[in-house]
Amino acid sequence: MAGAPLLTIVVATYNRPDTLRVAISMAQAQTFTDWQMLVIGDACAIETGETLASIGDRRIRYINLPARSGEQSGPNSVGMELADTPYLSFLNHDDIWTPDHLELAVASFDGDTEFYCSRAAFCIETDDATRPWEFTECSPPERTLGDVFHRPFYLFEPVSSWTFRTDAAKRVGAWRAATEIHRKPIENWLLRAWRENLHLTAGKTITVLKPKYLGRGEGVQYSQDSSGLLDLAKLARGDLSILRQRIADDIIEAIHTGRSRPFWYDFGALPPDLKEREKTKTPENAAIYKATGLDAFEEHCITQDLRTGDDLRCALKGRTGEDLMERPPLEDLISYACNELSRMKG
């Protein structure tokens, strides 16, 4: 790569070469072009490397880790450690950026901002060939990191909406593995960022399109479904004012018909075995966590002898048919990736 780019895009991937190609195409469509990309494979099959080689973009480097984590905490942590640019963005391998995503993100860092989170529109596939996607909700414009303690995890989803000053992200540190904690890794990382007092700017503009059910199914189905994502990318490449108005119209309809998820907990709708656990997520307990690091949610789960990583165990089983495995030692993954990157750079 000629010169030193301003931003590193980290893409965690596992055996989704077709959707990965679409996601990367929307990174290539960005109006901000001063980036490099690290695609971190979670012990992928050979097809992922072949796909990336066929793309032929010298800004993109692929490191396929030698052992599988089964979730994003390993690849994201490795990519974050390898990033050597002032700014860092994450991109999921099945999410879509609008072409102005990085431009708006980088522009937000003129002041004290250390962490920029854009807004995302969540969508589901339909049976209507003329309108294959329906938007059901979007992340709210006003959010704080402290909200993560007592509001649903998808308040800050997906990680494709995140951009950082790289030194600030490294100050928070690596992602915890799902098998080590009861909260989701995304929640745990954000709460640690809150305790580190990262200065957040919450974007007002929707720049990320997040499929809610894309590619769900057993085994081989996980790797084969990319046609829907191509339709979504086509929407993102069109007139953005029309797209954003359509998102607003769809969400209003989804709210009226009960198809939109709320961005707060409805305790009355929870099954009894989860209700007591979720009731620990209060603003009062959030204040205690901020001051002391003591998480009432984690403490409750430990006291009740609940299994770690349960939510991701269910998600992984549905996506790939696998059981959630123990993450390999992170220091080993980082050492391997550093050696691979050094070899690529010559």
Side-chain angles (χ1 to χ4, degrees):
M1 300 179 191
L6 194 62
L7 180 142
T8 298
I9 303 168
V10 173
V11 183
T13 192
Y14 176 68
N15 289 356
R16 301 288 300 280
D18 291 339
T19 62
L20 176 63
R21 181 190 294 274
V22 180
I24 288 175
S25 75
M26 296 312 297
Q28 293 172 311
Q30 293 297 297
T31 55
F32 175 88
T33 60
D34 192 12
W35 54 262
Q36 64 182 4
M37 179 181 290
L38 295 173
V39 179
I40 311 296
D42 194 21
C44 294
I46 193 171
E47 289 81 4
T48 298
E50 291 173 344
T51 295
L52 290 166
S54 72
I55 291 173
D57 190 327
R58 297 185 64 184
R59 296 174 295 179
I60 301 172
R61 291 193 171 109
Y62 174 51
I63 297 172
N64 192 26
L65 298 176
R68 181 141 161 74
S69 297
E71 38 110 1
Q72 290 186 27
S73 71
N76 281 350
S77 295
V78 170
M80 192 168 69
E81 178 63 28
L82 296 183
D84 59 357
T85 54
Y87 303 109
L88 161 70
S89 291
F90 289 115
L91 173 61
N92 285 338
H93 65 183
D94 56 2
D95 291 344
I96 293 297
W97 280 344
T98 59
D100 56 354
H101 173 75
L102 289 180
E103 181 179 349
L104 291 172
V106 173
S108 75
F109 289 97
D110 284 346
D112 296 331
T113 301
E114 295 177 298
F115 177 7
Y116 173 83
C117 187
S118 71
R119 297 180 70 192
F122 299 84
C123 51
I124 57 175
E125 286 188 272
T126 74
D127 295 327
D128 184 350
T130 65
R131 197 178 176 88
W133 289 99
E134 176 188 2
F135 297 95
T136 55
E137 61 267 335
C138 64
S139 41
E142 301 296 335
R143 291 164 285 171
T144 71
L145 288 172
D147 291 336
V148 175
F149 192 97
H150 55 88
R151 293 178 67 179
F153 71 94
Y154 49 85
L155 183 70
F156 277 85
E157 274 220 317
V159 297
S160 301
S161 60
W162 299 6
T163 300
F164 302 94
R165 294 189 189 273
T166 302
D167 58 353
K170 291 185 178 184
R171 194 168 80 236
V172 177
W175 290 50
R176 296 282 303 278
T179 53
E180 300 173 351
I181 52 179
H182 293 90
R183 284 191 183 269
K184 296 175 180 63
I186 185 175
E187 289 179 292
N188 176 270
W189 198 94
L190 289 165
L191 287 173
R192 287 160 46 211
W194 184 39
R195 292 204 75 223
E196 283 289 334
N197 296 312
L198 259 64
H199 190 284
L200 170 72
T201 293
K204 309 300 184 187
T205 304
I206 293 171
T207 63
V208 180
L209 308 183
K210 175 64 178 176
K212 289 165 65 175
Y213 306 120
L214 186 66
R216 301 297 182 258
E218 292 294 330
V220 68
Q221 295 179 3
Y222 172 80
S223 64
Q224 291 181 346
D225 184 0
S226 66
S227 59
L229 202 64
L230 282 167
D231 290 331
L232 201 57
K234 185 177 179 180
L235 286 177
R237 290 178 183 271
D239 187 317
L240 293 181
S241 62
I242 293 175
L243 171 62
R244 287 164 180 150
Q245 184 59 55
R246 173 181 160 178
I247 290 170
D249 293 342
D250 278 6
I251 290 173
I252 291 171
E253 176 66 19
I255 291 171
H256 288 163
T257 56
R259 299 192 308 280
S260 185
R261 296 178 298 181
F263 283 86
W264 56 86
Y265 285 110
D266 179 2
F267 292 113
L270 291 172
D273 59 327
L274 295 181
K275 192 172 295 186
E276 291 306 311
R277 183 189 76 171
E278 298 303 313
K279 281 187 176 179
T280 63
K281 297 179 176 180
T282 65
E284 293 76 18
N285 284 336
I288 293 172
Y289 171 81
K290 182 68 160 68
T292 68
L294 181 66
D295 185 352
F297 176 86
E298 286 285 342
E299 293 300 314
H300 174 85
C301 292
I302 292 169
T303 300
Q304 298 299 312
D305 199 26
L306 301 179
R307 189 168 59 165
T308 56
D310 261 359
D311 289 332
L312 284 185
R313 292 178 198 277
C314 294
L316 185 64
K317 196 72 172 178
R319 292 171 183 171
T320 69
E322 298 172 289
D323 293 318
L324 184 64
M325 64 281 299
E326 295 289 331
R327 187 175 73 187
L330 187 58
E331 59 270 22
D332 293 348
L333 297 179
I334 291 173
S335 177
Y336 174 87
C338 286
N339 290 335
E340 284 294 290
L341 188 58
S342 295
R343 180 184 61 79
M344 293 175 194
K345 291 180 176 179

